[in-house]
Amino acid sequence: LTKAMQLYFAAAPRLTISADGKMEMSSDLIMGPRRDSISFFGMVSLQGPNRFKDQPRAVRFHSLRVTLPLNFCRARELRVTYYDGEVLVLRDSLGNADVFRRRRGDARPRTAPAAAVAAVPQVPPSPSRGLKEQVGEFRSKVELLKETLQGHHANAAAAGAEAAQGR
């Protein structure tokens, strides 16, 4: 469909999600001979461990100076299938993947090693707490897991060194 309409991204989309869940995705599009900047607005909410809901709200076409509501768009249920601090892969219920890469220069969060991401403790959702509090608790548990793994690695290295000296 995009090929038939001659619709292409001129650059990679830029995504921003605020602590309260407001989302904005902006991109430059080439539509045949025309070029335009568009912005999609929506809300992202935590639904459970490694699960999010993406509810589209509106789209703005900058050259036309018009914002259209997206009331007819259904919310998407997304699940995290990969995260290493640099790359995030989300999949919806149809298996479509959204791949996000941290921009250069953005502050890199402190995260667990990639091998430990699958073992990250889950933070159960709580309707009485906001997304910001849940993310803070999740980050604390990730840091604890990282420290534990580093301690196990140091102990294994020390045991290996002792075994090598005993030979």
Side-chain angles (χ1 to χ4, degrees):
L1 180 63
T2 57
K3 200 175 218 182
M5 295 175 55
Q6 296 181 345
L7 179 66
Y8 302 97
F9 283 106
R14 296 166 304 281
L15 176 69
T16 305
I17 301 174
S18 66
D20 62 352
K22 291 179 183 172
M23 182 220 29
E24 179 180 350
M25 187 200 63
S26 302
S27 186
D28 295 327
L29 292 179
I30 298 172
M31 300 168 283
R34 296 182 46 96
R35 187 178 186 128
D36 194 4
S37 293
I38 62 166
S39 296
F40 289 93
F41 302 95
M43 290 294 293
V44 176
S45 58
L46 185 63
Q47 298 297 301
N50 296 320
R51 291 190 8 246
F52 296 89
K53 182 192 272 184
D54 172 20
Q55 177 63 58
R57 302 282 185 188
V59 62
R60 176 161 180 76
F61 297 90
H62 295 274
S63 66
L64 299 175
R65 295 188 179 131
V66 64
T67 301
L68 303 172
L70 294 175
N71 299 336
F72 56 88
C73 290
R74 293 184 4 214
R76 293 189 319 155
E77 296 287 330
L78 302 168
R79 61 185 159 72
V80 176
T81 57
Y82 179 80
Y83 176 68
D84 67 3
E86 190 70 27
V87 175
L88 171 67
V89 179
L90 303 174
R91 289 197 180 271
D92 65 14
S93 58
L94 299 174
N96 299 316
D98 290 344
V99 180
F100 301 97
R101 180 177 48 90
R102 186 170 301 281
R103 288 176 31 171
R104 290 185 192 147
D106 286 353
R108 183 181 172 117
R110 294 170 32 174
T111 61
V117 170
V120 171
Q122 305 301 316
V123 177
S126 170
S128 63
R129 294 184 309 160
L131 180 61
K132 188 174 184 178
E133 290 82 15
Q134 291 179 33
V135 168
E137 183 179 334
F138 181 75
R139 283 187 176 167
S140 298
K141 289 185 177 188
V142 168
E143 286 301 315
L144 179 62
L145 177 64
K146 181 179 177 182
E147 291 169 9
T148 301
L149 289 172
Q150 288 173 340
H152 287 293
H153 179 71
N155 291 342
E162 287 176 12
Q165 288 178 352
R167 289 185 195 178

